[in-house]
Amino acid sequence: MDRLGSRCPLPGSTRPSIFICLLILTASLLTYPVLRTLSLQFLSVLTGSYVSGTYSIVFVNCPNEQIARDVARAILDKKLAASVNILPKASSLYYWNGEIEEATEVLLLIKTKTSKIHMLSSYIRLVHPFEIPELFSLPMDQGDVHYLKWLEEGMEEE
């Protein structure tokens, strides 16, 4: 009986078990995005079907077409995306330093894995000339299986 008491907390000592529960809960919340991505990829491989949210489209505005091409090529070279569309002459109106500004910009539509968005965002902030580049993403809900397979292959490391 003495041995059992050394492994199990006594009825009045709940602090260590509460601390452990909080630690496990915190670790679970912090690792959730990674675990979700891995489980979605595993499910996709097992079933051979597309799981919604595995891929995303990232929108980025650039000040001109040359910069847009340079950013797109750099992203593709780093295997952070499989495809980038460059849509010229988007008219933009926005607040900057308390004033309404107007500009003509070039829009990039970047197709990538949702799991690569953090790395992609960090890289774009490094190479983009804007102080705060417009950068947001939307998950792909549906898509042609062959196209999605092509996206996957386009981001594989060689």
Side-chain angles (χ1 to χ4, degrees), residues 8-59:
C8 298
L10 297 173
S13 62
T14 58
R15 287 185 186 228
S17 59
I18 289 173
F19 176 74
I20 290 170
C21 290
L22 288 174
L23 185 63
I24 290 170
L25 179 63
T26 302
S28 298
L29 291 174
L30 292 175
T31 58
Y32 175 74
V34 174
L35 295 175
R36 182 181 183 279
T37 300
L38 291 175
S39 63
L40 286 174
Q41 289 173 349
F42 184 68
L43 179 64
S44 182
V45 168
L46 283 179
T47 62
S49 63
Y50 174 68
V51 177
S52 180
T54 304
Y55 299 98
S56 291
I57 300 174
V58 179
F59 297 77

Side-chain angles (χ1 to χ4, degrees), residues 75-148:
I75 289 167
L76 292 171
D77 284 343
K78 297 266 184 210
K79 300 285 187 179
L80 294 172
S83 172
V84 180
N85 296 109
I86 300 173
L87 305 176
K89 296 197 179 188
S91 294
S92 298
L93 285 92
Y94 53 92
Y95 274 105
W96 185 252
N97 294 326
E99 300 289 325
I100 296 176
E101 299 286 332
E102 189 170 343
T104 300
E105 298 175 320
V106 176
L107 177 63
L108 298 179
L109 297 180
I110 304 166
K111 278 74 79 187
T112 189
K113 289 182 185 177
T114 302
S115 62
K116 290 190 177 226
I117 290 177
H118 180 71
M119 287 187 305
L120 176 65
S121 297
S122 296
Y123 184 72
I124 288 173
R125 280 193 302 277
L126 286 175
V127 299
H128 202 284
F130 288 169
E131 183 179 337
I132 303 172
E134 177 181 4
L135 193 151
F136 63 92
S137 67
L138 298 172
M140 290 185 197
D141 185 38
Q142 298 291 320
D144 178 71
V145 175
H146 302 290
Y147 177 76
L148 298 172

